[in-house]
């Protein structure tokens, strides 16, 4: 049986089409790698650059995971994924 993978759609496009660099996709998927979860994610972002958008999506994913699975909060907090950029 194939392993499940997460899918991420940003502003109606797959993340690998939306973000110009693979590093930005890694930024978006980082909370999923820390927690080992697989989810289907749809995000809508505006303003800022692609890097800031990737970090904002990472923050949103981290908060959503924390809401679903409170035990994961410590792992995400240690990595700095729950800090917002004012």
């Amino acid at each position: 049986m194939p392993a499940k993978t997460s899918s991420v759609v940003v502003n109606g496009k797959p993340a690998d089409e939306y973000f110009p660099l693979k590093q930005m996709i890694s930024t978006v998927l980082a909370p999923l790698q820390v927690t080992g979860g697989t989810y289907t994610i749809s995000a809508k972002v505006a303003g800022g650059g692609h890097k800031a958008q990737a970090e904002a999506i990472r923050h949103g994913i981290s908060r959503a995971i924390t809401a679903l699975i409170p035990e994961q909060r410590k792992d995400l907090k240690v990595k700095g994924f729950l800090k917002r950029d004012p």
Side-chain angles (χ1 to χ4, degrees), residues 68-81:
L68 290 172
I69 311 164
E71 305 83 52
Q72 296 288 335
R73 185 175 194 282
K74 182 180 178 188
D75 297 331
L76 294 168
K77 187 170 175 131
V78 167
K79 293 286 187 177
F81 297 161

Side-chain angles (χ1 to χ4, degrees), residues 2 4 12 15 20-21 27 47 49 54 58-59 62-64 72 74-75 80 82 84-85:
K4 283 188 154 186
L21 301 173
T27 298
R58 179 184 69 190
H59 178 73
S62 298
R63 290 189 60 178
Q72 296 288 335
K74 182 180 178 188
D75 297 331
L82 293 173
R84 67 178 185 87
D85 184 8

Side-chain angles (χ1 to χ4, degrees), residues 19 21-33 50-59 61-62 81:
F19 290 111
L21 301 173
K22 291 184 190 281
Q23 180 183 5
M24 292 177 191
I25 297 167
S26 296
T27 298
V28 170
L29 296 176
L32 304 176
Q33 293 170 347
H50 284 279
K51 182 177 185 235
Q53 290 176 351
E55 290 173 355
I57 293 169
R58 179 184 69 190
H59 178 73
I61 291 170
S62 298
F81 297 161

